[in-house]
Amino acid sequence: MTTLEKVAMGIIGIGMATTLVLPGRQTGRVIDAIRGLFTGSLATAMNVPRR
């Protein structure tokens, strides 16, 4: 695993852990935001316009 992959996994792990302590448990919104980040990155890499 490269350093960049370790950092990315750490950020995702921290983000997922904080969903457990957020007021109102906004877990769904956080998961959607993380999914959107990766989907957007992949779309950019593939040169496909995002919806």
Side-chain angles (χ1 to χ4, degrees):
M1 224 187 226
T2 67
T3 303
L4 181 60
E5 290 172 329
K6 290 178 183 177
V7 169
M9 290 304 292
I11 291 171
I12 292 170
I14 291 169
M16 293 303 289
T18 56
T19 62
L20 299 174
V21 295
L22 285 176
R25 302 266 176 138
Q26 300 177 7
T27 306
R29 292 178 65 188
V30 173
I31 291 172
D32 286 341
I34 292 170
R35 184 175 45 120
L37 171 70
F38 286 111
T39 303
S41 299
L42 185 59
T44 300
M46 293 172 47
N47 197 22
V48 176
R50 287 184 72 188
R51 295 188 233 165

